[in-house]
Amino acid sequence: MREGFDKIGMRRIVEGVLIAHEHRLPDVLLPQLPTAFFKLPGGELNPREDEVEGLKCLMTEILDHQDAVLQDWVTDYCIGNWWRTNFEPPQCPYTPAHITKPKERKKLFLVQLQEKALFAVPKNYKLVSAPLFELYDNAPGYGPIISSLPQLLCIYN
């Protein structure tokens, strides 16, 4: 990460928050690795790549279904930013005043699913539908970013 920062500057990551409604309650769709590690779909952008278009390309690469028509990902809102202030793993939902050159920015976008969406999850992942009440204040189970989603999503109807 240090070499990349010296070459191209701050690393930019975009991730999509997929919302499904189960029994009229919102759930977040989360790919899960076999090690019980949850993540949001997305990834690192190329230098000068547009964030929304880059997220759509990354979501298509990750979740594309071979037999299906290409999914039209509708990314409405940026719901949050997380910053890596140094080359260590912890991330903050803000940039501290003493940090002039953050090392990484992770931008979260709300992705609207169509009424009928068809996509595939990579073979080494399992798709989990997590209700918002389970994510809330559950950083040990889901990590700080995913467990903050209920607060980030509360302003949307």
Side-chain angles (χ1 to χ4, degrees):
M1 186 178 199
R2 193 177 305 268
E3 291 173 8
F5 182 77
D6 292 338
K7 288 180 185 175
I8 61 170
M10 182 179 66
R11 185 170 158 186
R12 299 179 313 138
I13 295 177
V14 289
E15 293 181 340
V17 178
L18 301 169
I19 304 292
H21 293 276
E22 188 72 32
H23 305 294
R24 300 182 64 192
L25 295 172
D27 288 10
V28 178
L29 298 179
L30 297 169
Q32 178 187 21
L33 286 165
T35 59
F37 176 76
F38 296 93
K39 67 181 283 344
L40 295 168
E44 187 174 352
L45 294 174
N46 296 323
R48 297 184 190 89
E49 184 176 13
D50 180 66
E51 293 168 342
V52 173
E53 291 305 313
L55 177 61
K56 289 179 181 181
C57 290
L58 287 165
M59 300 259 306
T60 300
E61 285 176 21
I62 296 168
L63 300 174
D64 187 26
H65 190 271
Q66 292 176 353
D67 301 333
V69 177
L70 284 178
Q71 179 72 31
D72 182 27
W73 304 108
V74 179
T75 56
D76 289 336
Y77 307 102
C78 172
I79 60 172
N81 287 293
W82 284 78
W83 303 88
R84 189 180 311 267
T85 58
N86 52 31
F87 297 111
E88 302 298 320
Q91 297 177 17
C92 300
Y94 58 89
T95 307
H98 68 283
I99 301 296
T100 57
K101 293 184 179 181
K103 308 310 181 234
E104 178 182 279
R105 183 186 70 207
K106 183 178 289 189
K107 207 166 191 179
L108 305 177
F109 286 92
L110 181 61
V111 178
Q112 297 284 336
L113 290 175
Q114 304 298 320
E115 189 172 331
K116 291 185 179 182
L118 181 62
F119 53 89
V121 179
K123 290 184 181 190
N124 58 336
Y125 286 91
K126 179 171 86 172
L127 188 64
V128 174
S129 178
L132 290 180
F133 65 82
E134 185 179 318
L135 299 178
Y136 178 72
D137 201 25
N138 194 355
Y142 292 96
I145 296 174
I146 294 174
S147 67
S148 73
L149 290 177
Q151 290 95 327
L152 297 173
L153 294 170
C154 71
I155 62 170
Y156 301 101
N157 188 2

